[in-house]
Amino acid sequence: MTSAMASSTTWFSHFWSSALRSKPLSSASDTAVRTTSGEGLERRLGLFDLILLGIGASIGAGIFVVTGTVARDAGPGVTLSFIIAGASCVLNALCYAELASRFPAVVGGAYLYTYSAFNELTAFLVFAQLMLDYHIGAASIARSLASYVVTVLELLPFLKDNIPSWVGHGEEVLGVLSINVLAPIILVLLTLVLCRGVGESSILNSIMTVTKVLIVLFVIIVGAFKVDVANWTPFIPNGPKSILTGATVVFFAYVGFDAVANSAEETKRPQRDLPLGIMGSLLACIALYIAVSLVITGMVPYQNLGEDAPLAEAFTSKGLKYVSVLISFGAVAGLTTTLLVGLYVQSRLYLGLGRDGLLPSIFAKVHPTRHTPVHSQVWVGLIAGVLACLLNVHMLSHILSVGSLTGYSVVSACVVSLRWKDKTSSQASTRFISNRAEGIICLLAIACFGFAAGVLFRYGASFIFLIVAAIFAIISAAFLYLRQVYTDPPGFSCPGVPIVPCVSIFVNLFLFAQLHIEGWVRFVVLSIVTVGVYAFYGQYHANTVSSNVSIIYHRAPAEEAQ
């Protein structure tokens, strides 16, 4: 009995010490060695490529659908919903921009930032939550893309109504499976493009992104001539709450700018271009969404907007059938780039964990001539292909966005935490608790109050309770501001630290509370499973790193040469 207890204590002690390890940023020499040895990725992306990458990840068929469906409830005020959601995303983007500038030479994104700012287990949890979003999202987008491709093909008279449903729209089998043949074929083709190299995939993304942006701009310009300003009155027909509820929905239309941060190791001038790429792509998306929402609500009274294809139906009602056809082509281009960038990001995250030993080393292998993580890329395509071929993954959409909101919240906390690491003062804040632990408690309090405010709003509680939750969050942020010492990092610096990251965390958790209950359950269950995987595999295979090594700031080799 004593031996078993001692063994259990030893195992728990090892688990705890492993879980709390953090990772220093690789030195410039390590990165240069990896690049010259063929183990690194190739730096081929410029600023324009990064902006198109961010736009490609964010602007999909949603711009042709989400704007109209939300407008049915919020009215013309959907424009305000997009502005509010865009503003909250700007806060997240500022945090991502600082960390992308601070970690300019290696892949990993939110996972890497969490590993350096907090610890190994938290980073692994962030990876798992993000990856489930990415896997289900990729399969769902592939099926939507297949459906749109079939719709476009059916514009040809000899194919109309002659394409079986199992080819692209999906056909139910045995009440459980939903067969779709075209979706996995599309995934195979895009995976092959990504395996060939970042240059080839960047060219495809650029062509498709420019195409869809031109189509969206054309739609905006043509629609502007059909706007009747009388349709904008009343601007907020269902009250301010409908605007805020709409903002929680359209927030997810902006998700994708974080893909830019995951291209750090393939960017020519990462410290300069990554922050510009993140902010530039997000601001472009905000402008497009606002313009489309103004046009669609000005063309047709918001009560008459359709549910499945509101933008296309609006133009059809005005006798502009050709624009509706053009919108279908724009949706195909939009979904293609969203899917391409999603697969790209997933493979780079797997590459980062493979290098760190938290996943099998095969994920860390990079093709010696193509300079792409072929094994990770094929694995990502395989998972998405199986899901897209056999399951109606649209039914799982209500458990999506959990990973994105979790990742955004943790990234905001990382900005605050890494500023603490730079301070020269080691004075303890109290006799009973360290300065760092005190700060983490404040961050957790802000997150809890944000979630509580979201739950109260969701279930129609008195506005007074929301104000109380917000006041407690403000007190926690003030305590964080007054009790900690902060310094400005080199490179891009997020303004207003710690206030801006705290507001970002509060808003993200407020939105988290608006998700389906199944999304909350998914978060808890996946977290438990992830801890189990880490306990029995990750802690024993992770590359041991010291949490006491200082983070080294440096320019990528490509930048140093300039």
Side-chain angles (χ1 to χ4, degrees):
M1 179 69 71
T2 303
S3 177
M5 291 178 62
S7 177
S8 176
T9 302
T10 302
W11 181 90
F12 183 79
S13 176
H14 182 273
F15 171 83
W16 192 245
S17 62
S18 299
L20 294 181
R21 290 187 299 231
S22 62
K23 177 184 180 180
L25 182 62
S26 301
S27 66
S29 59
D30 291 341
T31 306
V33 168
R34 179 181 291 154
T35 302
T36 56
S37 67
E39 296 178 3
L41 305 178
E42 189 173 10
R43 296 188 180 276
R44 295 186 59 176
L45 301 179
L47 176 58
F48 187 64
D49 298 312
L50 294 176
I51 292 176
L52 291 181
L53 189 73
I55 296 175
S58 300
I59 301 291
I63 197 168
F64 306 114
V65 179
V66 173
T67 48
T69 53
V70 176
R72 286 174 60 86
D73 296 321
V78 66
T79 306
L80 298 178
S81 296
F82 273 107
I83 292 174
I84 293 171
S88 67
C89 281
V90 166
L91 300 179
N92 288 300
L94 288 171
C95 296
Y96 261 100
E98 174 175 318
L99 296 179
S101 174
R102 200 163 180 170
F103 294 75
V106 282
V107 296
Y111 154 77
L112 173 65
Y113 308 152
T114 308
Y115 205 162
S116 297
F118 294 107
N119 54 65
E120 192 169 280
L121 179 58
T122 304
F124 197 50
L125 287 166
V126 167
F127 164 79
Q129 295 291 347
L130 284 172
M131 199 49 61
L132 184 59
D133 268 15
Y134 281 130
H135 283 321
I136 297 176
S140 179
I141 293 169
R143 288 182 73 102
S144 295
L145 178 55
S147 181
Y148 269 104
V149 169
V150 170
T151 299
V152 170
L153 291 175
E154 287 180 337
L155 294 174
L156 301 174
F158 66 92
L159 289 178
K160 186 172 179 61
D161 298 326
N162 289 325
I163 300 178
S165 59
W166 51 265
V167 172
H169 294 302
E171 183 172 313
E172 299 295 327
V173 178
L174 302 176
V176 177
L177 301 179
S178 177
I179 305 301
N180 188 312
V181 174
L182 185 56
I185 293 175
I186 292 172
L187 284 163
V188 168
L189 294 176
L190 292 181
T191 298
L192 290 174
V193 172
L194 288 164
C195 286
R196 281 190 61 81
V198 68
E200 290 78 358
S201 56
S202 177
I203 290 172
L204 176 61
N205 177 70
S206 298
I207 293 173
M208 300 297 278
T209 300
V210 169
T211 299
K212 71 178 176 183
V213 170
L214 290 176
I215 290 175
V216 171
L217 291 175
F218 180 78
V219 167
I220 292 170
I221 293 171
V222 173
F225 289 98
K226 298 293 182 179
V227 167
D228 181 358
V229 294
N231 291 329
W232 288 339
T233 305
F235 197 74
I236 308 177
N238 297 319
K241 185 174 182 180
S242 66
I243 302 299
L244 191 56
T245 302
T248 65
V249 177
V250 303
F251 174 90
F252 305 108
Y254 291 111
V255 170
F257 62 84
D258 53 315
V260 178
N262 286 280
S263 63
E265 197 171 318
E266 292 161 289
T267 302
K268 295 176 183 177
R269 296 180 295 274
Q271 283 189 309
R272 187 202 74 169
D273 290 350
L274 287 175
L276 292 175
I278 291 170
M279 297 304 301
S281 61
L282 177 59
L283 293 176
C285 291
I286 292 174
L288 290 174
Y289 277 125
I290 291 174
V292 169
S293 61
L294 285 173
V295 166
I296 191 174
T297 54
M299 288 178 62
V300 179
Y302 73 94
Q303 307 96 322
N304 299 336
L305 289 172
E307 293 186 1
D308 296 327
L311 194 58
E313 292 174 16
F315 279 93
T316 300
S317 69
K318 295 295 183 179
L320 301 173
K321 178 69 175 177
Y322 74 96
V323 179
S324 300
V325 174
L326 199 60
I327 287 172
S328 295
F329 283 97
V332 169
L335 286 169
T336 299
T337 58
T338 302
L339 182 57
L340 182 75
V341 176
L343 295 173
Y344 166 85
V345 170
Q346 291 177 61
S347 67
R348 271 55 182 177
L349 282 171
Y350 273 107
L351 173 64
L353 270 85
R355 285 175 174 173
D356 293 335
L358 292 171
L359 291 177
S361 59
I362 190 172
F363 291 109
K365 294 184 181 298
V366 175
H367 194 279
T369 56
R370 297 292 180 187
H371 301 287
T372 56
V374 175
H375 297 89
S376 295
Q377 199 69 72
V378 170
W379 169 258
V380 166
L382 179 64
I383 294 295
V386 171
L387 290 175
C389 180
L390 301 178
L391 300 175
N392 181 8
V393 286
H394 295 292
M395 297 173 60
L396 301 177
S397 61
H398 53 277
I399 67 169
L400 288 178
S401 302
V402 173
S404 297
L405 288 172
T406 302
Y408 288 176
S409 301
V410 175
V411 165
S412 298
C414 287
V415 170
V416 180
S417 175
L418 288 172
R419 295 285 188 100
W420 300 337
K421 285 191 174 185
D422 296 335
K423 65 179 184 291
T424 56
S425 174
S426 60
Q427 181 180 0
S429 56
T430 72
R431 290 183 303 168
F432 307 104
I433 189 171
S434 69
N435 221 19
R436 176 176 171 79
E438 184 181 85
I440 291 175
I441 290 173
C442 288
L443 290 171
L444 289 173
I446 293 168
C448 291
F449 290 130
F451 182 76
V455 171
L456 292 169
F457 173 79
R458 175 174 180 167
Y459 292 105
S462 172
F463 197 66
I464 296 176
F465 292 108
L466 274 73
I467 294 176
V468 170
I471 289 174
F472 278 114
I474 292 171
I475 293 173
S476 300
F479 200 77
L480 197 62
Y481 177 79
L482 296 172
R483 301 283 288 181
Q484 300 288 337
V485 180
Y486 301 90
T487 59
D488 292 329
F492 180 86
S493 176
C494 174
V497 173
I499 303 305
V500 167
C502 286
V503 174
S504 177
I505 293 171
F506 184 89
V507 172
N508 291 336
L509 269 295
F510 181 93
L511 294 172
F512 188 99
Q514 311 310 312
L515 299 177
H516 287 265
I517 300 295
E518 291 88 342
W520 304 355
V521 174
R522 162 245 157 120
F523 175 82
V524 174
V525 172
L526 182 59
S527 296
I528 293 172
V529 172
T530 303
V531 171
V533 172
Y534 177 81
F536 292 99
Y537 181 87
Q539 67 165 322
Y540 299 111
H541 294 84
N543 298 326
T544 304
V545 292
S546 172
S547 61
N548 299 319
V549 179
S550 299
I551 291 179
I552 302 172
Y553 301 100
H554 64 281
R555 295 185 180 275
E559 282 188 286
E560 292 175 342
Q562 295 184 357

